[in-house]
Amino acid sequence: MERVTNRLERQEARTACRLRVIAGPSAGLEVTLPAVGVVVGAEPGCDVVLEDRAVSKRHASIAPVPGGFEVTDLGSRNGTWLDGAALTRAVVPAGTTIRAGASVLQLFPAEEVALVEPSARRSFGEMVGDGPPIRTAFAMLERACTTGVPILVTGESGTGKELAARAVHDESPRRGGPFVVFDCGAASESLVESELFGHKRGAFTGAHEDRPGAFALADRGTLFLDEIGDLPLPLQTKLLRLVERGEVTPLGGRRVERYDVRIVAATHRDLWAEVASGAFRGDLYYRLAVVEVHLPPLRARREDIPLLCERFLAAHGARTEVGGPSLARLLDYGWPGNVRELRNVIARAVALAPPGASFEQMPLMLRPGSLVAPEPLARADVGYHEAKDALLARFEREYFTDLLRRAGGNLSHAARIAGLERKFLYRLLERAGVPRPRDADG
């Protein structure tokens, strides 16, 4: 059986930890933290040297400890700052960002990748598929649903993130409790806090009575936080406290209220990039992504289109064989709306087709301009070896460009994704003509 990789974060403390400079003159610098820790400063003798005039010669020390990282300011002239407050010594969780001079440092555990066998099942809840990409996602969800750890589901709009969350709930020990959906991007920023955490009477104009929030409604069940990347930054701190301790103070309230809620979050955004830019809290990301599952877009799992068509046709009472030129049209389509768009196309076709129509007779109305017309991989207008070399060069250039984009320009992470030694990756980048970003680990 094919082995496919999907990210599975582990809860245990890791021995390998990382420090990354995400802002400042040395942005892009990344190092592994040894067990004894490092000294950060401008002095050449420091373990991590920052080219920052606002950083002291020996600015701070950082060491991995159980539960996070111990950060100690070494009497720097401009201080070491955490969330706008100067610190002398503190233990901070993974994902935390600290400021030293004009530089911003992020602390995180080394990413671990688990090899997961694709599930033997062709469905998980209402999701169906037979290809390795989606069955690997099924396997991740199957393992995670029996635990109570938070899950982060990523993927483009229409790939089935809410269906995944509902299936996790239905197959978990919490299946008898409520399943509550909260769209972090649907409510206005002024109302998100009230709707998510609840409010007390008189908390604001129009609050005539107490109102429970989404967390209270999901007590002893599952809360699905859709589009978590849209949650305003100030509320991320409050959400982090609830995820860590299960407690929150409603808007206008004075007493802390406790809830027993399993969180499944979802986003179409690249949350790692959001963390690097400061738009999303790194510590909250690590709390939510204990298990991170990516749902592939439909264009990456075209082998599942016939099975999906059969499922959607049956749901609308149409019993007909799927195939022929109509299926070929669906296979050649780009599917910008993913599975949701395919479902709507089939529903529209059944509604507009005459009674008893075959699949070939159904009007499949596809969005103009989204047809896939791939350029031939190779042309026979040149010699075999010349065509082969040109195709290989194109593959390497496109592959490594996308690899560096996915790794955020970090070569160590890129090497782990590609399964290559870092030095060998350097040589391949040079051969492909892809610019190599700065990497301190080199």
Side-chain angles (χ1 to χ4, degrees):
M1 183 177 290
E2 181 180 359
R3 296 182 68 84
V4 185
T5 301
N6 204 329
R7 287 184 55 187
L8 176 60
E9 294 287 352
R10 305 192 185 279
Q11 284 184 287
E12 307 92 50
R14 301 167 174 101
T15 55
C17 304
R18 313 283 291 171
L19 180 152
R20 174 183 297 157
V21 183
I22 61 175
S26 298
L29 174 67
E30 182 176 326
V31 298
T32 298
L33 297 182
V36 296
V38 295
V39 173
V40 178
E43 190 176 68
C46 290
D47 302 303
V48 180
V49 180
L50 299 179
E51 300 174 359
D52 185 345
R53 293 183 179 181
V55 168
S56 298
K57 291 182 177 181
R58 293 173 60 83
H59 196 102
S61 67
I62 302 173
V65 297
F69 302 83
E70 184 177 74
V71 181
T72 305
D73 184 79
L74 301 179
S76 63
R77 65 179 182 274
N78 290 323
T80 304
W81 297 80
L82 171 66
D83 293 336
L87 66 81
T88 302
R89 186 175 184 177
V91 174
V92 300
T96 295
T97 56
I98 60 174
R99 180 177 293 276
S103 300
V104 178
L105 317 178
Q106 185 178 44
L107 309 170
F108 57 99
E111 182 179 35
E112 294 184 4
V113 175
L115 293 177
V116 178
E117 296 284 356
S119 172
R121 296 165 55 172
R122 301 177 72 195
S123 65
F124 184 73
E126 295 185 24
M127 297 188 296
V128 296
D130 197 32
I134 192 63
R135 287 194 295 115
T136 300
F138 290 170
M140 298 285 292
L141 294 168
E142 288 167 13
R143 294 187 184 189
C145 68
T146 57
T147 71
V149 300
I151 301 174
L152 177 64
V153 184
T154 64
E156 297 178 8
S157 178
T159 51
K161 296 187 289 294
E162 182 174 343
L163 294 180
R166 188 175 294 276
V168 166
H169 173 76
D170 290 341
E171 297 204 12
S172 75
R174 295 173 177 265
R175 65 179 67 89
F179 178 80
V180 177
V181 178
F182 183 83
D183 190 340
C184 298
S188 64
E189 184 170 346
S190 59
L191 294 178
V192 168
E193 182 173 8
S194 170
E195 296 186 6
L196 188 57
F197 304 115
H199 67 253
K200 295 298 183 181
R201 178 182 178 183
F204 52 85
T205 303
H208 301 301
E209 59 184 1
D210 293 355
R211 179 177 178 181
F215 274 95
L217 297 174
D219 193 29
R220 301 186 182 278
T222 303
L223 175 60
F224 175 54
L225 297 176
D226 198 12
E227 295 306 340
I228 188 66
D230 294 339
L231 189 68
L233 195 59
L235 296 185
Q236 294 176 21
T237 303
K238 202 166 185 179
L239 176 59
L240 175 64
R241 187 181 308 118
L242 198 149
V243 174
E244 289 180 328
R245 305 176 186 175
E247 59 185 35
V248 69
T249 304
L251 189 64
R254 297 181 178 179
R255 293 195 316 174
V256 170
E257 298 182 3
R258 299 189 61 84
Y259 304 112
D260 175 18
V261 176
R262 199 266 181 87
I263 295 178
V264 179
T267 182
H268 73 281
R269 299 177 182 269
D270 183 349
L271 273 197
W272 182 246
E274 298 283 309
V275 170
S277 68
F280 198 86
R281 289 186 61 117
D283 44 7
L284 178 58
Y285 168 79
Y286 279 109
R287 289 292 183 180
L288 295 176
V290 176
V291 175
E292 183 171 346
V293 182
H294 179 72
L295 299 184
L298 187 55
R299 62 182 176 276
R301 43 178 295 220
R302 296 180 186 277
E303 66 271 25
D304 294 332
I305 289 178
L307 180 61
L308 289 165
C309 287
E310 292 173 1
R311 172 66 66 92
F312 296 146
L313 286 168
H316 291 281
R319 302 289 180 178
T320 178
E321 185 176 349
V322 176
S326 291
L327 176 59
R329 284 186 64 207
L330 299 182
L331 293 174
D332 286 340
Y333 186 64
W335 298 111
N338 292 296
V339 178
R340 181 187 296 127
E341 184 179 7
L342 174 60
R343 181 189 63 200
N344 292 342
V345 166
I346 297 299
R348 185 185 307 116
V350 173
L352 298 179
S358 67
F359 187 66
E360 284 299 312
Q361 295 170 326
M362 293 182 178
L364 299 176
M365 303 170 63
L366 303 178
R367 189 182 308 179
S370 294
L371 292 176
V372 178
E375 182 182 345
L377 289 177
R379 297 181 181 277
D381 54 355
V382 296
Y384 168 78
H385 292 291
E386 182 180 352
K388 179 181 178 182
D389 291 342
L391 180 60
L392 179 60
R394 174 184 168 186
F395 161 75
E396 291 188 339
R397 184 169 58 253
E398 294 181 358
Y399 177 86
F400 290 123
T401 298
D402 185 60
L403 176 66
L404 293 178
R405 180 188 64 81
R406 292 174 181 269
N410 179 265
L411 289 177
S412 298
H413 187 38
R416 289 195 296 272
I417 294 175
L420 300 171
E421 292 292 332
R422 192 169 59 244
K423 292 182 179 180
F424 184 52
L425 176 60
Y426 292 164
R427 293 197 293 271
L428 292 177
L429 289 174
E430 291 174 355
R431 185 175 74 180
V434 177
R436 190 180 86 184
R438 178 181 181 182
D439 183 10
D441 284 340

